Amino acid sequence: MGRPAPVPWLLRRPAAAVVVGFGAAVAVGTVLLLLPVATEDGSSAPVVAALFTAVSAVCVTGLIVVDTPTYWSTFGELVILGLIQVGGIGIMTLATLLGLLIARRVGLRLQLTAQAETKSLGLGDVRQVVGAILALSVVIELVVAVPLTARFALFYGEEPGRAVYLGVFHAVSSFNNAGFALFTDNMIPFATDPWICLPIVLAVVLGGIGFPVLLELGRRIRTGSRRWSLHVRITVITYAVLLVVGVAAFLITEWRNPATLGPLGIGGKAVVGLFHGVMPRTAGFNSVDVGQLYPATLLVTDMLMFIGGGSAGTAGGIKVTTFALLAFVIAAEVRGEPTVHVLGRRLPAAVQRQALTVALLGVGLVTVSTVVLLSLTPFRLDDVLFEVVSAFGTVGLSTGITADLPPAGQLVLTALMFLGRLGPITLASALALRDRVRRYELPEERPIVG
């Protein structure tokens, strides 16, 4: 038997492969958006605007520096749509494969070497996962596009071709948690229309909860099994709790706000409250003017955006699993327990350190970016912090200051969107896949804490 085929450098470093892949997509998208045919007036877009839009689309964020429906031509909108699809499905595929690799606790070098030797080991699993992601994504987007198309055509009088275009665009944007809309006021014209808002909410939840959860739920339903993995239980429970908290907090804080929920009836308030309770999961659509929200609402939304959605999905943030694991660690420490138990399982110390590292680095990145933007702009802390957290969490919600930021500030947000989208995934996978043995331990000494 001969030697196994050499493994390409990127395959030996999956985190680097994710970054390179998305960097290439951003480069291609920027070049396409710089073409004169991409704008309505036929002129070439500014480089910063093209780069910002490409990064926002690939990282499925939704922040914009120019008005999407009036500035970009149909060609430009299709480029954005393609970037959203590549960024959404691409990150789901890569992150899911990394998650499976980590969950199986198999060394990457060993797995790749074995696959190279046998030419088949694990290959079928990879193809099956990728195929399932693509199929599920297309099915969900089509299912969501149907009611949207029908509503635009039958109720709002759009031409059939235009209605299909609007339905498909917003279905793709919502499932991929992108937040791009083909209306100048985003979803504000449809704030109380459940036939528009509820399909978008459903797509956002399915895309943001994470493909590993959807895959396991489907498998368990088919087999009738009642045993769920720890990841699925943590994700579903935490996601549901944060969803209820988000909806309740928005309704409570905005109930009497004359610029948002105040003038609406009970039914309208319920639709808007549900819509904006889900959007901080990193979707970025808005059905009321975010700039008119009360400071308390902005702060709650900041926290929800920072947490984000499920792992290996289209959502950003530090992820609900990271947040939940840290909560379990705190609870165990408060109770004085030597180990952390989560839903009938013991949590490894390595996982605790990984969750803490991801969360604290996220806090540090948001803090530094906020200070930089405050020094570059005259805007209030509320608005700047909201913008920074929205970019880091790849949400896309904005109080309306994005386009008014100087080019340097927009570049800061551009970098933040890229780091916020890829940072938690690549960092978590790098930490989990790293296997280093310490051959000695130093004497123990306890410093004063608190």
Side-chain angles (χ1 to χ4, degrees):
M1 296 178 61
R3 291 184 178 181
V7 180
W9 178 81
L10 284 180
L11 291 181
R12 287 186 279 113
R13 293 169 175 79
V18 175
V19 175
V20 170
F22 275 74
V26 167
V28 172
T30 301
V31 171
L32 291 176
L33 291 177
L34 284 173
L35 298 176
V37 70
T39 62
E40 285 285 3
D41 60 7
S43 62
S44 182
V47 175
V48 173
L51 175 63
F52 189 98
T53 303
V55 172
S56 184
V58 171
C59 296
V60 290
T61 304
L63 287 175
I64 56 175
V65 292
V66 293
D67 185 35
T68 303
T70 60
Y71 187 85
W72 302 110
S73 65
T74 302
F75 174 81
E77 293 171 358
L78 290 176
V79 169
I80 293 173
L81 184 64
L83 295 176
I84 291 172
Q85 192 72 286
V86 169
I89 294 181
I91 201 67
M92 286 180 71
T93 303
L94 294 172
T96 300
L97 294 178
L98 286 174
L100 292 175
L101 179 62
I102 294 168
R104 291 174 180 177
R105 304 181 64 83
V106 177
L108 178 60
R109 187 182 302 275
L110 175 61
Q111 186 184 49
L112 291 173
T113 301
Q115 181 174 326
E117 289 176 347
T118 63
K119 297 296 189 292
S120 62
L121 183 60
L123 187 59
D125 292 340
V126 172
R127 288 178 176 175
Q128 184 178 8
V129 170
V130 172
I133 291 175
L134 295 176
L136 185 60
S137 300
V138 172
V139 168
I140 292 176
E141 289 169 355
L142 289 177
V143 169
V144 173
V146 170
L148 293 179
T149 298
R151 191 65 171 173
F152 285 130
L154 300 178
F155 190 80
Y156 293 99
E158 297 285 355
E159 294 293 329
R162 175 68 176 173
V164 171
Y165 179 57
L166 292 174
V168 171
F169 188 98
H170 292 94
V172 172
S173 183
S174 57
F175 175 70
N176 290 288
N177 281 213
F180 278 90
L182 295 182
F183 304 98
T184 299
D185 294 328
N186 207 276
M187 293 291 110
I188 292 178
F190 317 103
T192 58
D193 188 344
W195 295 100
I196 296 293
C197 293
L198 294 186
I200 290 177
V201 165
L202 176 62
V204 168
V205 171
L206 292 177
I209 202 170
F211 182 78
V213 175
L214 298 179
L215 180 62
E216 183 169 339
L217 288 176
R219 184 170 61 250
R220 298 303 182 190
I221 291 174
R222 291 194 306 270
T223 60
S225 174
R226 295 184 179 181
R227 297 185 60 183
W228 306 96
S229 70
L230 181 62
H231 173 76
V232 169
R233 286 183 288 166
I234 291 176
T235 301
V236 172
I237 293 173
T238 310
Y239 196 101
V241 170
L242 292 176
L243 179 59
V244 172
V245 169
V247 174
F250 188 87
L251 290 173
I252 292 172
T253 56
E254 294 295 316
W255 189 267
R256 297 184 181 278
N257 187 342
T260 57
L261 295 184
L264 304 179
I266 299 296
K269 289 179 178 179
V271 174
V272 175
L274 175 63
F275 193 83
H276 275 269
V278 171
M279 291 308 117
R281 293 277 70 79
T282 78
F285 291 105
N286 64 283
S287 59
V288 296
D289 186 357
V290 176
Q292 299 299 319
L293 297 178
Y294 287 145
T297 311
L298 292 177
L299 183 57
V300 172
T301 306
D302 284 339
M303 293 185 290
L304 294 174
M305 291 191 299
F306 183 78
I307 296 171
S311 299
T314 57
I318 64 171
K319 304 299 188 294
V320 295
T321 46
T322 304
F323 172 76
L325 293 180
L326 291 177
F328 282 115
V329 170
I330 293 173
E333 187 63 28
V334 169
R335 291 195 296 263
E337 297 177 350
T339 58
V340 180
H341 290 180
V342 179
L343 302 176
R345 294 290 187 271
R346 182 170 60 86
L347 192 66
V351 175
Q352 300 173 39
R353 294 195 300 269
Q354 291 161 18
L356 183 63
T357 301
V358 170
L360 289 184
L361 287 179
V363 170
L365 186 59
V366 167
T367 301
V368 171
S369 301
T370 301
V371 172
V372 171
L373 281 186
L374 284 174
S375 66
L376 292 174
T377 67
F379 298 112
R380 302 177 308 165
L381 174 61
D382 284 350
D383 295 334
V384 171
L385 179 61
F386 191 91
E387 203 80 9
V388 167
V389 177
S390 180
F392 169 77
T394 67
V395 181
L397 292 174
S398 174
T399 57
I401 69 172
T402 314
D404 297 326
L405 295 173
Q410 293 175 358
L411 290 177
V412 169
L413 290 185
T414 301
L416 196 57
M417 287 188 290
F418 196 82
L419 291 174
R421 183 60 169 158
L422 301 181
I425 294 171
T426 55
L427 176 62
S429 62
L431 292 174
L433 292 173
R434 184 183 58 187
D435 186 15
R436 179 178 298 175
V437 178
R438 176 174 289 173
R439 300 183 182 279
Y440 63 90
E441 290 291 345
L442 298 175
E444 181 179 288
E445 183 175 350
R446 298 177 65 89
I448 298 174
V449 177

